[in-house]
Each structure stands twice: as structure tokens, then as C-alpha cells.
Amino acid sequence: MEPQSNNQPQMILPNQPMAQPAAQPVAQQSVQPAANNMAGIGSAAMVANQAAPVSPNQETPLSTQSTLLISELRDNVVIMKDGSFRAVVACKSINFDLMSDMEREGVEYSYQNFLNSLKFTTQILVRSQRVDIGPYIERLSEIRRNNDNMLLGVLMDDYINFIDILSQEANIMDKSFFIVIPYYTSVDAEKVIQQTKNFFKSFSKTKTPEVTRIDRATYEKALSELTNRVDAVTSGLFQIGINSVRLNTKELAELYYNFNN
């Protein structure tokens, strides 16, 4: 990917004025953290680079913000730099191992029908995080101190010791499941993205085209189409027995903030 300028494109609708960036000396190139690019996240302090003036022929180093493919979060959707849109649906898991053979067969057929009913691409994301059970142990200890029942206190001591030893010997992981639903304003762009490609190709020297303006009609159509696609996904998952919910703007900001930090 070619080095990009620190001035990121702004997704501005026609009825909103476009803010003009303030002039900045070349010797003080600002590097913004990834959190500054997301709605609902507090602005972090900008770090100025007090290096010597950069010559015109010298390549400008990539900033953290320039590596993000996200332009803006608003109205429960993610607006990408290429003008496409994303919606994210969080899903609960089901215990497939504890099901009977008949139940497993029903889930498999329902999942097959769900995939065949989709007329657009989706991305299934499984995220594993290590769980910090320190606050949980502290809460149990506080309950133990306020308990007057001697027998219950002994049982709680054994349980607290068991959890403490277990957390030291093994990593307790928590898994989250998401489905990313895209929408492309161009039919040709959606055909290209459907082709399988390596993730690291995004870091090639080919520069991704950026869209600096989206008209109101295109934006409203994207919101409507994403809503229909989300409804199709949630209803299909419900047939399998999986409860799901669409992430709002704040939840999207927290999700991408945690991923980039």
C-alpha cells in the first residue's frame, strides 16, 4: 500500500458543511491514534513529531489512522474509505456437542438452508479473549466476609481456592461471535470482493480508491438495504436456534476500538 496522507477523507452528506482542516507546518506531522477515527470514543491527545523538515522526495511515514480502512461510524453502520458500508450482528452460541443426533441433523439442515438463502456475502468472525477473573474472585471474597453461615463459608473458601488455582494453571477464554454484513454501492465492486483473496494483499502497493463524498440518495439506499440484509440474517439464525442482535454505533465503536488496541 502506498503511504497515505494524514488528512483522512470525510464522509460528508450534501446537507452538512465540510470542515476545512487547519494548515499545519511540515515539521510537525501529527500522528493520531486509532481511537480518534471512531464515533463515540474520546479524543486522544495528538503527538507531534518534532523531526527535521521532510524533503519533497522523501516518503511520509504511515500513521496509525492511515492504516485503518474505516472512515466513519454513524447510524449503526460502518462507512469504509472506499464508500462501502458494513453492519455487524452479534450472535449467541449453541452447544452442538450436547445435542442428540436428531437435533444435530436439524441444525445442520437449517444452517445449510440459511446459507443458501443469502444473496450477498457475509463474514463470520469468532473472537477469543482471555477472561480476567480477578474482579470475580474479589466479589466472592467480599460475599464470604459478609456471610455468617459457617458451613456456607467453608464451601465458599473451597470454591474460591479452586477458581484461583484453575485461573493460574489454564487460560480461561471467552468467545464472541459476529457476522459482518457488507453493502457496496457499486455492483462491480461487490463482484470483485466476492473473490477469495489473502488478507495481506491489502498491504500491497496498490492504493485503494477512497470516496470523499456520498450523496443523500446513495446513503439512504445503503441504510435501507443493510436493514433488509440484517433482518434476513437474524431471521435465518433464529431458525437455527441462535439469538442475534445488531450492534449500534456505540457498540461498533467499542468493538473496533478493542480490536485496534
Side-chain angles (χ1 to χ4, degrees):
M1 177 180 296
E2 293 183 357
Q4 301 178 2
S5 173
N6 290 333
N7 294 331
Q8 297 298 323
Q10 300 294 328
M11 291 296 176
I12 304 297
L13 299 179
N15 58 353
Q16 297 178 345
M18 179 179 295
Q20 297 295 333
Q24 187 177 11
V26 179
Q28 297 181 351
Q29 297 292 336
S30 298
V31 181
Q32 298 181 0
N36 289 348
N37 198 28
M38 301 181 181
I41 299 298
S43 299
M46 299 175 63
V47 181
N49 182 13
Q50 303 294 341
V54 182
S55 61
N57 297 330
Q58 184 178 356
E59 294 184 354
T60 305
L62 288 175
S63 65
T64 304
Q65 187 177 3
S66 63
T67 60
L68 295 177
L69 301 179
I70 301 174
S71 177
E72 188 177 355
L73 301 176
R74 59 184 300 173
D75 297 333
N76 304 335
V77 299
V78 183
I79 305 177
M80 311 300 291
K81 290 182 179 179
D82 59 356
S84 59
F85 299 82
R86 302 289 189 277
V88 181
V89 175
C91 310
K92 288 187 177 181
S93 61
I94 57 177
N95 200 326
F96 190 77
D97 295 333
L98 296 181
M99 294 181 178
S100 62
D101 294 338
M102 184 176 298
E103 290 175 335
R104 292 183 181 181
E105 185 176 355
V107 170
E108 292 175 354
Y109 278 114
S110 299
Y111 184 64
Q112 180 181 358
N113 294 332
F114 165 69
L115 294 180
N116 292 332
S117 65
L118 297 179
K119 299 180 180 179
F120 48 87
T121 59
T122 57
Q123 177 187 3
I124 299 177
L125 173 64
V126 181
R127 185 188 185 195
S128 298
Q129 286 182 295
R130 184 175 180 179
V131 179
D132 182 16
I133 63 173
Y136 177 65
I137 295 179
E138 293 179 0
R139 182 170 175 269
L140 291 178
S141 301
E142 183 179 356
I143 297 175
R144 170 66 180 89
R145 290 191 297 267
N146 298 330
N147 180 42
D148 297 332
N149 191 322
M150 182 177 298
L151 178 60
L152 184 59
V154 173
L155 295 176
M156 289 191 66
D157 289 336
D158 293 339
Y159 177 72
I160 293 174
N161 293 332
F162 169 75
I163 294 297
D164 189 16
I165 296 175
L166 181 62
S167 63
Q168 296 177 6
E169 294 180 351
N171 293 331
I172 301 178
M173 307 298 293
D174 178 35
K175 287 189 176 182
S176 304
F177 303 89
F178 305 93
I179 294 183
V180 183
I181 305 172
Y183 174 74
Y184 300 89
T185 56
S186 174
V187 179
D188 295 335
E190 187 163 7
K191 290 181 179 180
V192 172
I193 205 65
Q194 289 178 357
Q195 300 176 0
T196 304
K197 62 179 182 178
N198 194 326
F199 171 77
F200 295 99
K201 287 184 179 180
S202 60
F203 296 97
S204 62
K205 295 183 179 181
T206 304
K207 185 176 180 180
T208 304
E210 298 180 358
V211 179
T212 58
R213 191 177 184 86
I214 297 178
D215 58 86
R216 171 63 64 176
T218 302
Y219 182 74
E220 295 293 342
K221 181 180 179 181
L223 294 183
S224 177
E225 183 63 26
L226 275 178
T227 301
N228 295 334
R229 294 186 177 188
V230 169
D231 293 340
V233 170
T234 53
S235 61
L237 293 176
F238 183 77
Q239 298 297 327
I240 308 175
I242 299 177
N243 296 326
S244 58
V245 62
R246 181 177 179 177
L247 299 184
N248 56 31
T249 304
K250 181 179 179 181
E251 293 168 341
L252 287 172
E254 294 176 353
L255 176 65
Y256 285 101
Y257 178 83
N258 293 332
F259 264 103
N260 289 280
N261 290 272

